[in-house]
Amino acid sequence: MIIKHAQVFTLTQGFVEKEAAIKDGYFVEVSKELKQDPNEIVIDGTGAYLIPGLVDVHFHGCAGHDFSDGTPKALAEIGAYELANGITSICPASMTLPEEKLSAICENAYAYTEHQKKREEKKPSGSRLWGIHLEGPFIAEEKKGAQNPAYIQKPETETFQRLQEAAHGLVRLITIAPEVEGAERFIRELAGKVHISLGHTCCDYETALLAFSLGADHVTHFFNAMPGFTHREPGIFGAAFDAKHVMIELICDGIHIAPAAIRTAFQVFGKERVILISDSMMATGMEDGDYTLGGLPVTVKGNLAALQDGTIAGSATNLTDCMRKAVAMGIPLEDAVRCASYNPAKSIGIEDMCGSIEPGKYGDCVLLSQKDLSVQQVILGGKVC
């Protein structure tokens, strides 16, 4: 497959008009032989941007289904919706739930990846699942957000190891509150084996900085479910800024964070350290109404998903729409694309396989209209979806 005349996203130069090629499922250099092959599919990208398939490392569901449903049907339909919207790689998030339920969720995710391998030769039916994000149960009750407090527990490496075994090693990211009992030991023992994210926390600057120095490298939905920044108590904001290896998640749905705060975060942390996420829940892609998140009732109206007490409960916006929203907030398109593709891939250690249009990586990409950034075509492994 050769894609011509599109403005192609690059990590170093932004958008450049050039050709891109995919062979046997992977991006390759555009060769003379490939261009002269009469059997090669040629796509005209005139009037379009060619961007890498997006990577969402924090979302709970969409299309009427929740990742925590733990069923093949739910995950298949989640994968299909994400793929159709240009999100070609996913690392869905669980909720704070009993261990036996989390184990079933992990097993279901692994089964999805096994089924995914078997269907590679056919037309793609769903996004690639690269991992699992355990958002809880090792969080602070005071900052539980839409998590169920009944199942919050202290961080234990043994619990994590059992869940990782059920997932066959698929857990790539876990959110914890570093101030709770057992958190320091947990980070010391597991940093380097899984990416550790601080979130749903009341921690102060010193506690967060210690966690980062021990190997935590990620912040879950920055600004949300954590103390704010002040000049005498810089908190997790200040610690994340000082720990230069740390990447932060931002929910750009227009609900969770004010536009000025989004612009501030980009200025402070730079395009290399920001990860756009959707934090989407099952109502994404659906009509307004009553839904659930982690077993808790949620009412959705427009882009707002909330518990009965008004607490925001995830988003009703997919990652592609969040990327567009970031652009509408004043973020340059090339930065928004990077933060929704390469950066999230890097944050969970899969940037050698996806997240940018480079030879040797999976041929996953999206053609966006230059007029309104609408999705024109999604390509997974060189196959048009």
Side-chain angles (χ1 to χ4, degrees):
M1 174 183 289
I2 299 175
I3 304 167
K4 296 182 175 183
H5 308 307
Q7 292 289 326
V8 181
F9 172 78
T10 69
L11 289 171
T12 56
Q13 299 174 280
F15 287 97
V16 178
E17 184 171 337
K18 64 175 188 175
E19 296 176 342
I22 303 170
K23 189 72 174 178
D24 298 325
Y26 296 87
F27 288 116
V28 296
E29 297 286 357
V30 181
S31 65
K32 182 178 179 181
E33 293 75 18
L34 202 62
K35 293 172 74 170
Q36 292 178 342
D37 185 346
N39 297 316
E40 205 61 55
I41 297 171
V42 177
I43 293 177
D44 185 358
T46 300
Y49 296 111
L50 183 69
I51 67 170
L54 302 191
V55 182
D56 201 345
V57 299
H58 186 163
F59 80 105
H60 298 279
C62 53
H65 298 283
D66 193 319
F67 176 59
S68 291
D69 290 345
T71 66
K73 182 178 187 295
L75 197 43
E77 296 197 16
I78 286 170
Y81 173 89
E82 296 291 303
L83 181 62
N85 284 278
I87 303 118
T88 58
S89 293
I90 57 175
C91 180
S94 59
M95 296 289 288
T96 295
L97 295 164
E99 184 179 338
E100 59 271 21
K101 177 63 174 175
L102 290 173
S103 291
I105 293 165
C106 289
E107 291 169 356
N108 185 57
Y110 175 69
Y112 177 95
T113 64
E114 288 297 289
H115 181 63
Q116 184 173 277
K117 294 174 185 176
K118 295 176 183 177
R119 64 173 186 260
E120 282 184 353
E121 298 302 316
K122 303 176 182 178
K123 183 176 180 179
S125 59
S127 302
R128 302 182 195 276
L129 191 150
W130 288 101
I132 297 166
H133 177 172
L134 292 178
E135 190 185 6
F138 308 137
I139 60 175
E141 185 168 350
E142 298 85 349
K143 292 290 184 180
K144 64 182 183 298
Q147 305 273 356
N148 193 331
Y151 304 119
I152 293 173
Q153 58 179 279
K154 298 173 184 176
E156 292 185 351
T157 56
E158 296 79 9
T159 302
F160 170 79
Q161 287 163 350
R162 289 192 295 270
L163 293 173
Q164 186 68 292
E165 184 177 349
H168 294 256
L170 271 179
V171 179
R172 289 184 175 268
L173 184 63
I174 183 167
T175 294
I176 71 168
E179 75 275 19
V180 302
E181 183 182 345
E184 183 177 332
R185 171 178 174 251
F186 186 95
I187 297 170
R188 287 182 184 276
E189 293 184 359
L190 292 175
K193 298 177 182 178
V194 65
H195 291 274
I196 297 173
S197 186
L198 306 190
H200 288 280
T201 174
C202 297
C203 72
D204 57 16
Y205 171 87
E206 290 76 16
T207 303
L209 195 63
L210 174 61
F212 293 139
S213 72
L214 294 176
D217 59 4
H218 197 111
V219 181
T220 295
H221 44 51
F222 197 66
F223 291 121
N224 301 116
M226 62 186 62
F229 173 91
T230 71
H231 62 299
R232 289 199 179 92
E233 295 182 1
I236 198 169
F237 188 118
F241 174 73
D242 282 344
K244 301 304 182 187
H245 68 288
V246 172
M247 303 180 80
I248 64 165
E249 299 178 352
L250 293 177
I251 309 172
C252 287
D253 64 343
I255 299 291
H256 280 79
I257 310 172
I262 294 289
R263 293 189 290 270
T264 298
F266 268 86
Q267 285 292 319
V268 171
F269 288 90
K271 63 184 180 182
E272 294 83 6
R273 298 176 62 191
V274 172
I275 304 161
L276 294 185
I277 62 164
S278 69
D279 199 16
S280 68
M281 49 85 70
M282 64 162 55
T284 303
M286 305 291 286
E287 297 178 351
D288 290 356
D290 295 325
Y291 298 89
T292 61
L293 178 62
L296 300 178
V298 176
T299 298
V300 174
K301 187 174 183 180
N303 288 337
L304 177 63
L307 300 181
Q308 292 175 343
D309 65 2
T311 301
I312 296 176
S315 85
T317 309
N318 65 53
L319 181 58
T320 305
D321 284 336
C322 287
M323 181 185 72
R324 294 189 191 99
K325 184 72 73 173
V327 174
M329 291 176 178
I331 305 304
L333 176 61
E334 56 266 32
D335 294 352
V337 169
R338 178 193 177 105
C339 295
S341 56
Y342 180 78
N343 288 3
K346 182 181 179 181
S347 78
I348 60 169
I350 60 172
E351 74 274 21
D352 289 340
M353 296 173 279
C354 66
S356 59
I357 299 172
E358 297 178 279
K361 297 189 180 185
Y362 279 105
D364 303 343
C365 51
V366 182
L367 283 164
L368 295 179
S369 166
Q370 291 181 17
K371 293 181 179 179
D372 59 6
L373 303 183
S374 60
V375 173
Q376 292 184 332
Q377 210 159 48
V378 180
I379 297 166
L380 191 76
K383 295 183 176 67
V384 177
C385 302

